[in-house]
Amino acid sequence: MLAVGAAVVTGDRWPYAWMAADLTLFAVRFLLMRECERTRKRGGTGPLAGLMAAGGSWSLIFGLGCYGCVVSGDMALAVLAALNVAGVVGVVSSRNAATPRYAIFVMLAVSLPFLVGALLSPAPGMSIVGFQVPFYVAGVIIVLLQNHAINARMIRAELDNRDLAIKDALTGLPNRIFLQEKLRGMCSELAAPAANGGRPFAVLSMDLDGFKHVNDRFGHAVGDMLLRKVAERLKRAFRPGDVVFRIGGDEFVILLPDTSEIEATMLAKRAIEKISVPFDLGVGTAIRIGLSIGSAFAPADGREPELLLTCSDHALYEAKRTGKGRYRAHVRAAN
């Protein structure tokens, strides 16, 4: 509307160029926002850099247009330009705290041309307005940076609380809550087409053999130290993409995405071998424990988290019943 008013009042051609550029950038930004939304629904990020570049270009053109309004000498146009600059700067400050450098660029691109125009304007009193602009913009930037700091602290606090909720305090491994979330996500992918998901995965339930004896003989402090060492060995025993969980006491669960039954068997037996190596915990004697493992496979043994955990638990009980320090896969019922 400011460009339309400038065209009517001044009768010059530059307001029409301003309107054409503004409409072009509006169309570009609209298309980019639609593409970002479509990409977000597919799990991507979209052309965010292009969207920010279009926004920066608009701010430069808007600033130059306001400069033209102020230097025209028409007081009504100058006042309208001042109101528009103040409004844009205020809105950018309140809505772009997450991207402070981009917001500061936009505010300066809008306000600096107006500042220069106000100082050069023949309209009475505009030079005084121009001298006030730096103070206004500086104050708004300070508010922007304060809002950014507050948002950053809130996000960090949320992440810290999230870590406390999903991590085991003793070992630092993900806990039962995160296991349920992760397992639900992997099970939901089983329904996806083979090209996008639905890859098989294994669930390994684990239990330490002889851990209670260590706790009873050496105390809980040594037992806690042993659990931390076990967690470290388990992480080294499996692949980088596998996830180790401690779900309580001396119980662990491993999720093996995109794996075959043969590969899962080899990994489970390697974990048993690593845990069977004596631990030196500084108590004057090497501590020996074992590891029993039961497994279930998706989708062969089930497609629901509870069913898969139940199947792997049953296999674990069978492994412990037949001598401990063993690995057993869930035995499927004959059709």
Side-chain angles (χ1 to χ4, degrees):
M1 293 299 295
L2 183 57
V4 174
V8 173
V9 172
T10 64
D12 294 334
R13 294 181 179 179
W14 63 265
Y16 295 99
W18 180 9
M19 284 187 281
D22 207 17
L23 290 173
T24 301
L25 282 172
F26 175 81
V28 170
R29 294 172 72 189
F30 177 76
L31 293 174
L32 288 172
M33 284 190 287
R34 286 186 58 186
E35 182 58 30
C36 285
E37 182 64 21
R38 283 197 296 264
T39 308
R40 185 188 64 81
K41 291 179 180 178
R42 297 194 298 266
T45 56
L48 292 177
L51 185 59
M52 295 181 74
S57 300
W58 175 88
S59 62
L60 289 170
I61 292 171
F62 182 82
L64 291 174
C66 290
Y67 169 86
C69 290
V70 177
V71 297
S72 69
D74 185 89
M75 182 56 73
L77 280 182
V79 171
L80 287 174
L83 292 174
N84 275 269
V85 167
V88 169
V89 170
V91 169
V92 169
S93 174
S94 63
R95 296 181 59 183
N96 292 270
T99 54
R101 286 179 292 185
Y102 173 73
I104 291 172
F105 169 80
V106 170
M107 288 190 285
L108 292 178
V110 169
S111 60
L112 287 180
F114 174 83
L115 166 62
V116 174
L119 295 177
L120 299 177
S121 175
M126 287 307 300
S127 59
I128 298 176
V129 174
F131 282 119
Q132 299 299 314
V133 170
F135 298 101
Y136 170 71
V137 175
V140 174
I141 289 176
I142 291 172
V143 172
L144 168 75
L145 295 177
Q146 289 175 339
N147 289 337
H148 174 71
I150 292 171
N151 289 344
R153 285 197 297 270
M154 291 175 60
I155 291 171
R156 280 196 295 268
E158 272 190 45
L159 293 175
D160 290 343
N161 290 336
R162 170 70 174 169
D163 282 345
L164 290 173
I166 68 173
K167 282 189 177 180
D168 172 53
L170 178 63
T171 62
L173 295 176
N175 61 14
R176 185 186 295 272
I177 294 174
F178 190 51
L179 169 64
Q180 294 290 343
E181 292 182 10
K182 183 73 172 177
L183 195 50
R184 280 197 297 269
M186 295 174 71
C187 287
S188 66
E189 291 180 359
L190 292 175
N196 299 321
R199 295 188 294 269
F201 64 89
V203 180
L204 305 185
S205 291
M206 302 182 172
D207 192 76
L208 299 180
D209 304 321
F211 177 75
K212 184 178 183 301
H213 173 71
V214 174
N215 255 349
D216 293 342
R217 181 180 176 186
F218 299 104
H220 290 288
V222 173
D224 289 347
M225 190 187 309
L226 177 59
L227 287 172
R228 287 193 289 267
K229 295 290 185 182
V230 167
E232 292 172 4
R233 288 193 186 182
L234 287 177
K235 286 190 290 187
R236 292 196 298 267
F238 291 91
R239 305 168 302 178
D242 301 333
V243 189
V244 183
F245 303 83
R246 181 184 176 225
I247 60 173
D250 60 345
E251 300 175 61
F252 297 83
V253 170
I254 320 288
L255 295 183
L256 309 178
D258 196 17
T259 189
S260 65
E261 296 189 23
I262 295 175
E263 187 175 19
T265 300
M266 293 174 59
L267 291 169
K269 291 183 176 179
R270 185 169 73 179
I272 291 173
E273 292 175 1
K274 285 187 175 293
I275 299 302
S276 66
V277 176
F279 291 83
D280 182 7
L281 301 180
V283 294
T285 183
I287 293 179
R288 298 177 180 273
I289 58 171
L291 182 68
S292 296
I293 304 177
S295 68
F297 295 88
D301 290 319
R303 295 173 176 267
E304 298 295 329
E306 294 77 11
L307 178 58
L308 291 168
L309 288 172
T310 299
C311 291
S312 64
D313 280 341
H314 287 168
L316 171 61
Y317 297 149
E318 183 64 19
K320 295 182 76 71
R321 187 185 68 81
T322 56
K324 301 183 180 180
R326 298 174 183 269
Y327 164 73
R328 289 287 183 272
H330 177 252
V331 178
R332 292 158 202 147
N335 294 327

